[in-house]
Amino acid sequence: MSDPRLCLEALSALSGCSVEATTGASLLTPQDFVNIVALKEFYKQEGLKELEYPSLGTLSLHDIDGQDLYSSPPALTEGPSTAGPDSSLRTTLKINPKDFFHPRYDYDFTNIEDGDTTFLRGNEPYVRPCGWNRVALQVKGRYDGGDGWLGTGKDAWPVSYNGHNMDGSLGIILTRRDTSADQPEFLDAAAACLVTKETRGRGVYSTPDINIAEEYCKTFTSEVDGRKYKVVLQNRINPEKRVKCQREDIWLVYVPEGCNDVQTRTIVQESIRPYGLLLMKERRYDQKHFFKVTRKIPST
């Protein structure tokens, strides 16, 4: 398993909270964690500023990107009289690494290249996270109905990835890679988007393509080794709860208008289950990758 301290930093970066280790019971499960990450993005999309989560209280949705997760907020260093809203942004979450992570199922894809090899999960293409190191989460035996959703058989769920800021700006109808062809049909679909609630893209987004998730991933600089890392959640998604968007590489768990917090959280729990924390270390290049050294061979 990767350094547990590094994993806690990654969880902190994803959640916007301060995740710390405890030898006691964890305050949250891996499912709670993906709920928090997904719902923070959803409620930000809805224009809200706070998320109420059971047992944790109020979590701020304030965007703190770019701030050092481990330094005091700027306002605090200027004295109590100027303390601003940043002083209480990070809720502290306590987890026990022994019951949160599952090292037996860790898998390092860092130096793996799949090429044209095809993998399936839930009878759908599985784009493996090549280039990433996966830290497995403790999810076996945690759900009713067994672990078939986590396997490779007919009951398995497809794989999806949660990046950062994957929200309604991706759209269902209005986001399209190429609108030059069949333009009238596209305009009809766009018009339908304005009047049909189900096509507005209200809900929780993920992607089956790790390369898309990387575009939206969270980054952080670790205090463990001073290196910069990217972090993404690897999940399984319930195929009966998922909506495929106009972009084939974007999936949506739709949350209908009028759902309260409990109903929204239930939809997420029934639709997305996490099983891996993905980490990618920033690449450093040695001069030997850029310069070819030649040696003159003496003539004989």
Side-chain angles (χ1 to χ4, degrees), residues 12-153:
S12 298
L14 271 175
S15 65
C17 302
S18 179
V19 183
E20 300 178 357
T22 180
T23 55
S26 297
L27 285 180
L28 73 169
T29 67
Q31 182 64 56
D32 288 319
F33 191 83
V34 77
N35 289 353
I36 291 171
V37 172
L39 290 174
K40 280 173 74 81
E41 296 305 321
F42 169 69
Y43 283 119
K44 282 168 62 178
Q45 172 188 348
E46 293 294 288
L48 302 180
K49 296 182 178 180
E50 294 179 336
L51 164 64
E52 292 290 337
Y53 199 83
S55 77
L56 298 179
T58 303
L59 304 179
S60 173
L61 304 182
H62 180 72
D63 194 350
I64 54 176
D65 288 355
Q67 288 185 211
D68 187 340
L69 289 174
Y70 306 100
S71 63
S72 298
L76 292 183
T77 63
E78 297 170 6
S81 62
T82 58
D86 287 344
S87 61
S88 59
L89 288 181
R90 295 190 182 91
T91 299
T92 298
L93 307 180
K94 297 279 190 179
I95 68 166
N96 188 330
K98 291 184 178 180
D99 64 31
F100 195 88
F101 300 111
H102 206 169
R104 177 182 174 185
Y105 296 99
D106 289 354
Y107 199 93
D108 191 354
F109 292 91
T110 302
N111 298 310
I112 293 178
E113 295 183 6
D114 285 339
D116 295 329
T117 305
T118 301
F119 296 87
L120 297 176
R121 294 293 185 272
N123 202 33
E124 295 191 25
Y126 166 34
V127 181
R128 301 204 303 173
C130 295
W132 298 76
N133 185 18
R134 183 175 69 206
V135 178
L137 304 179
Q138 184 70 263
V139 293
K140 291 198 68 175
R142 299 290 180 91
Y143 296 92
D144 294 337
D147 296 323
W149 64 276
L150 192 56
T152 60

Side-chain angles (χ1 to χ4, degrees), residues 187-256:
L187 292 177
D188 289 343
C193 178
L194 300 178
V195 296
T196 305
K197 291 182 179 180
E198 287 72 15
T199 61
R200 289 182 182 175
R202 185 180 191 271
V204 174
Y205 285 83
S206 62
T207 174
D209 189 342
I210 183 59
N211 299 303
I212 299 298
E214 185 177 356
E215 293 180 17
Y216 293 93
C217 75
K218 192 77 173 180
T219 62
F220 68 97
T221 300
S222 172
E223 282 198 335
V224 175
D225 59 9
R227 298 288 294 273
K228 193 170 185 177
Y229 288 83
K230 297 178 179 180
V231 56
V232 166
L233 279 175
Q234 186 176 28
N235 318 300
R236 295 297 185 97
I237 189 167
N238 188 335
E240 296 180 358
K241 303 290 185 179
R242 166 203 59 187
V243 176
K244 292 186 177 181
C245 301
Q246 189 70 26
R247 284 181 57 167
E248 295 181 356
D249 51 17
I250 300 296
W251 290 346
L252 170 73
V253 172
Y254 181 68
V255 178

